[in-house]
Amino acid sequence: MALVLNGVPWFDDRGEVVNAHGACLVDDGGRYYLFGEHKTDDENRFDGVGCWSSTDLATWTFERVVLPVQPDGPLGPGRIGERPKVLRSPTTGAFVMLLHSDDLGYTDPVVGVATCDTVAGEYRWHGPLLFEGEPVRRWDLGTFQDDDGTAYLLVHEGDVYRLSDDCLVAEEKVASQVAPGGESPAMWQVDGTYHLLFSGKTSWERNDNYVLSAPSVRGPWRHAGTLAAPGTLTHDSQCSFVARVRRGDEVVPVYMGDRWSFPHQASAATQVWLPLLVEDGRARLGEYWPAWDPETGERVDLPGVVAGDRFVSDDPATRFEVEVDLPAGGGRLAVLGTSDSASGYARVDLVGEDGEARSHLVDLYSKVTADGPVYVSPALPAGRWTVRVAPTGEVPAWWKKDGTRFGSSGAKVTVEGVAVLT
């Protein structure tokens, strides 16, 4: 069974982490294409836009870095490139990517444009998106394409621009400042009601994302509460996009969110994807699901601990270790543990009886305490595997320009044991 697994690293056909953040999903020719920031583990700089494809939202094939670092200019070396969003022009058929470009100090923002004739080819950088002849100098962005093909640019604070038919120019501002203090916008439409999603400004930290609703993209927009239950911090994630996912004869909205992991965004940041509900005209997320079936849209319960004793430590000289036998046909190994506000990074090592070894970094920090899978391996062959989990001693923490500290208060690692997924 193909499962969407939340809050754990995803692995592609190469066995590499799916490093796609601030992402979007495009359905083309019966295949889904995931575009996202190809992050680094050393600093928050642009390292390209990556693309992966899938038919089931669970198994991912690496396509390529579709927009690499440019020789110079807004996406040149030492710059920022964030929140790539890809649309298809209803008139030209070209694929158009919009993204935020900036310097490392976030003092030179611009919304940029790149295009490609094919969904997963190499995109050509054109430069800034223009509105009334001037570059759109905004940062957090999203996009939305209505049923009639009309495309919109969404930016922080709640401005919405209608794009030209070729999606290369912002032609009209149709809403202004409808969400002061809001960032990471996303929009979707169900039964004639438009829903506009925002996160609060808390740096890489998660918060209770909220929704505005309206009968038209032009408004009037009204606040419709938090997306998930208050205090859950949107299931410990920040919105990035709302995808349109096929389910039988229906197309249903799916929330896509990031669990950032500063500073190790490339190796330890993860995703939270969940079906969106609309009840009595109100959009919301239900309870958190560690795993769900994208074919049915229903939760799938994962197995419990089959091996190992509870382990709690912040000392890199200590480790959890257990041997687990995978049955004929192989399977995946899941490390079950606890994430909380005093937890840090762990190194997970898997060693097969033939000497095959895999090593991955996992982030156990969460402002909201949660129990469940903190790591699920790629598919492994049958046989005996040794699972080791050790604290690295590093604390996930970061500071805003004004000195405000975010992140964990410690480097604790809690492991309950190992489960087997077949």
Side-chain angles (χ1 to χ4, degrees):
M1 179 187 297
L3 298 178
V4 175
L5 298 170
N6 285 320
V8 297
W10 295 350
F11 298 97
D12 63 21
D13 58 316
R14 307 167 299 168
E16 301 290 331
V17 171
V18 176
N19 180 10
H21 300 283
C24 74
L25 195 72
V26 174
D27 184 353
D28 184 62
R31 194 170 184 87
Y32 296 108
Y33 292 84
L34 174 65
F35 297 86
E37 303 168 32
H38 200 267
K39 305 297 285 188
T40 68
D41 271 344
D42 53 1
E43 65 178 344
N44 184 37
R45 59 177 167 81
F46 179 62
D47 194 44
V49 174
C51 178
W52 285 257
S53 67
S54 176
T55 57
D56 59 12
L57 302 185
T59 52
W60 295 97
T61 298
F62 178 66
E63 295 290 338
R64 63 189 298 161
V65 172
V66 293
L67 182 61
V69 176
Q70 303 295 293
D72 51 34
L75 283 183
R79 295 280 295 183
I80 283 171
E82 296 180 331
R83 300 191 177 276
K85 301 293 180 281
V86 175
L87 303 156
R88 190 168 195 179
S89 165
T91 55
T92 69
F95 292 89
V96 179
M97 180 187 297
L98 303 180
L99 79 166
H100 161 222
S101 167
D102 218 321
D103 61 22
L104 293 178
Y106 287 90
T107 63
D108 183 32
V110 67
V111 176
V113 183
T115 62
C116 189
D117 291 335
T118 58
V119 64
E122 183 166 327
Y123 282 65
R124 182 167 66 92
W125 173 250
H126 293 277
L129 178 78
L130 300 182
F131 175 62
E132 296 181 343
E134 296 294 330
V136 178
R137 293 199 170 274
R138 308 302 290 271
W139 40 100
D140 268 21
L141 65 85
T143 57
F144 169 71
Q145 197 155 16
D146 214 339
D147 291 340
D148 64 0
T150 304
Y152 298 89
L153 168 69
L154 324 170
V155 297
H156 60 96
E157 311 291 343
D159 287 359
V160 180
Y161 297 85
R162 179 180 57 79
L163 299 177
S164 57
D165 288 345
D166 61 11
C167 300
L168 299 178
V169 176
E171 286 197 329
E172 179 189 10
K173 184 184 286 189
V174 299
S176 180
Q177 298 288 295
V178 299
E183 64 178 7
S184 62
M187 186 187 290
W188 72 106
Q189 180 263 122
V190 177
D191 296 331
T193 298
Y194 294 79
H195 306 279
L196 184 53
L197 178 59
F198 288 94
S199 163
K201 293 181 179 178
T202 52
S203 184
W204 302 111
E205 187 61 271
R206 279 72 80 177
N207 55 62
D208 285 326
N209 294 184
Y210 58 93
V211 186
L212 292 83
S213 297
S216 164
V217 176
R218 298 173 181 272
W221 292 98
R222 61 175 182 83
H223 279 269
T226 60
L227 183 67
T232 64
L233 308 186
T234 324
H235 301 319
D236 198 28
S237 70
Q238 182 192 39
C239 56
S240 58
F241 192 67
V242 174
R244 292 167 55 87
V245 172
R246 288 173 272 106
R247 187 177 303 147
D249 295 331
E250 294 183 286
V251 176
V252 297
V254 170
Y255 167 86
M256 296 168 55
D258 283 293
R259 279 188 181 172
W260 301 106
S261 180
F262 195 83
H264 298 299
Q265 306 278 42
S267 54
T270 61
Q271 308 266 357
V272 173
W273 291 14
L274 289 165
L276 279 159
L277 308 174
V278 177
E279 297 179 347
D280 298 324
R282 184 183 180 278
R284 65 178 183 87
L285 285 176
E287 65 177 359
Y288 178 71
W289 295 345
W292 58 282
D293 183 347
E295 283 195 8
T296 64
E298 296 180 354
R299 177 176 181 150
V300 175
D301 291 327
L302 298 177
V305 171
V306 298
D309 297 322
R310 191 170 191 265
F311 167 89
V312 183
S313 178
D314 61 3
D315 183 357
T318 64
R319 70 184 184 190
F320 166 93
E321 182 170 335
V322 70
E323 291 185 344
V324 182
D325 290 319
L326 282 178
R332 289 183 288 177
L333 296 172
V335 176
L336 307 181
T338 299
S339 300
D340 63 25
S341 61
S343 293
Y345 288 107
R347 177 66 61 181
V348 177
D349 292 302
L350 308 176
V351 181
E353 57 188 343
D354 62 354
E356 180 181 354
R358 299 169 183 264
S359 184
H360 303 286
L361 190 67
V362 176
D363 185 357
L364 278 77
Y365 166 68
S366 172
K367 200 170 180 179
V368 177
T369 301
D371 298 314
V374 296
Y375 169 83
V376 177
S377 75
L380 301 171
R384 177 158 294 185
W385 287 84
T386 301
V387 182
R388 301 186 183 110
V389 185
T392 68
E394 185 176 7
V395 177
W398 61 99
W399 288 260
K400 290 179 68 174
K401 293 178 183 178
D402 64 6
T404 303
R405 184 189 186 278
F406 291 93
S408 182
S409 62
K412 178 181 63 175
V413 169
T414 303
V415 177
E416 301 295 340
V418 175
V420 175
L421 281 62
T422 57

